[in-house]
Amino acid sequence: MTTNLRNNLAERLDYLYGKARKIAQIKSELQLPEINPYSLEQILDEDWLPE
């Protein structure tokens, strides 16, 4: 991943989480945290899964 892409994702992470959260809640009726509890490093780590 390029530095530019990583920086762009880091800057937009909260916005992107909010959009994804709304879509996921509509499609699955899950209640997800309003504020993103995950770091960009966690999200990009292929071996990491939230608890």
Side-chain angles (χ1 to χ4, degrees):
M1 174 179 302
T2 66
T3 302
N4 190 32
L5 179 56
R6 182 178 285 277
N7 291 340
N8 189 4
L9 285 172
E11 289 174 12
R12 298 178 47 105
L13 186 58
D14 291 335
Y15 169 78
L16 295 170
Y17 175 82
K19 298 278 288 185
R21 177 184 165 269
K22 287 180 186 178
I23 293 168
Q25 285 183 315
I26 290 169
K27 292 188 179 236
S28 69
E29 299 181 8
L30 290 173
Q31 293 301 314
L32 301 170
E34 286 188 37
I35 298 173
N36 178 15
Y38 312 114
S39 70
L40 181 58
E41 289 74 24
Q42 289 173 314
I43 294 168
L44 295 176
D45 182 351
E46 294 179 13
D47 296 323
W48 177 79
L49 293 174
E51 295 178 14

